[in-house]
Amino acid sequence: MFKKLLSAAIIFGCIVAASYAIYSATNEVCNGEAKQLVEFENNGISYRMIPGNDLTCEVIRYKRGCEILRKGKKCDTSLQYKGSVAIPESVSYNGKEYRVTSICGMAFKYCDSLTAVFIPASVIKIGDNERDENIFEYCPLLEKIVVAHNNPVYDSREHCNAIVKTASNTLVAGCKNSVIPADIEKIGD
């Protein structure tokens, strides 16, 4: 009897865990939204349309990579952003042009073969839940970060290889070759 109860408990636990994983994978919360979201890929970069913002999208975690990322679990590194990634200002999907305005906080985490990222002027939000975060966490090969010189919110002043929030002089994210500019007033949140 005990073995049957134990087996039933284990099976129930596996079913609950599997259900949670499926739900998390299809309803990932990013930028405070938890809705059915349209996701697509264009030229090796994954995007999600931003609800309520007509014709805008954000860069998200590579869709062929790990669907669920939890602390302590690593993704299949063969299925992540690799090498140099140049985010475009806009991208086409189903005959429409979408402006890339955001980078989800989990977009580049654990991309251990990522070497460079170029961020366009159109990106005005980085991270989730109204706060900036280190979007390059666990990216040991990342050596170069460049923000377009005409970006209204972020910059990479003095070729610092980092992302700086211009208005507050806050260093938001960096890499192994980042140099902290002299006028930085804050690092992170």
Side-chain angles (χ1 to χ4, degrees), residues 107-118:
F108 296 109
K109 286 189 177 182
Y110 295 95
C111 292
D112 58 9
S113 296
L114 183 68
T115 59
V117 175
F118 300 90

Side-chain angles (χ1 to χ4, degrees), residues 74 108-112 134 136-140:
K74 289 205 67 168
F108 296 109
K109 286 189 177 182
Y110 295 95
C111 292
D112 58 9
N134 186 0
F136 303 118
E137 189 172 1
Y138 305 110
C139 296

Side-chain angles (χ1 to χ4, degrees), residues 68-182:
I68 304 165
L69 184 60
R70 298 283 180 250
K71 286 186 177 178
K73 292 185 182 177
K74 289 205 67 168
C75 295
D76 179 351
T77 58
S78 67
L79 301 171
Q80 300 173 350
Y81 294 114
K82 296 178 180 181
S84 181
V85 175
I87 300 168
E89 289 214 12
S90 63
V91 63
S92 295
Y93 176 70
N94 279 349
K96 293 183 180 179
E97 195 75 13
Y98 292 87
R99 187 164 172 81
V100 181
T101 60
S102 175
I103 300 173
C104 184
M106 298 299 285
F108 296 109
K109 286 189 177 182
Y110 295 95
C111 292
D112 58 9
S113 296
L114 183 68
T115 59
V117 175
F118 300 90
I119 299 171
S122 61
V123 171
I124 55 173
K125 184 169 184 357
I126 296 174
D128 302 327
N129 303 320
E130 302 302 320
R131 65 182 173 87
D132 297 320
E133 54 191 64
N134 186 0
I135 63 170
F136 303 118
E137 189 172 1
Y138 305 110
C139 296
L141 298 181
L142 184 62
E143 332 182 289
K144 187 170 190 166
I145 302 170
V146 178
V147 178
H149 71 278
N150 56 341
N151 186 301
V153 178
Y154 301 100
D155 67 73
S156 288
R157 63 187 70 162
E158 303 169 22
H159 306 288
C160 65
N161 279 314
I163 301 172
V164 176
K165 198 168 207 175
T166 307
S168 62
N169 289 321
T170 300
L171 184 70
V172 174
C175 66
K176 67 181 183 178
N177 291 337
S178 293
V179 176
I180 301 173

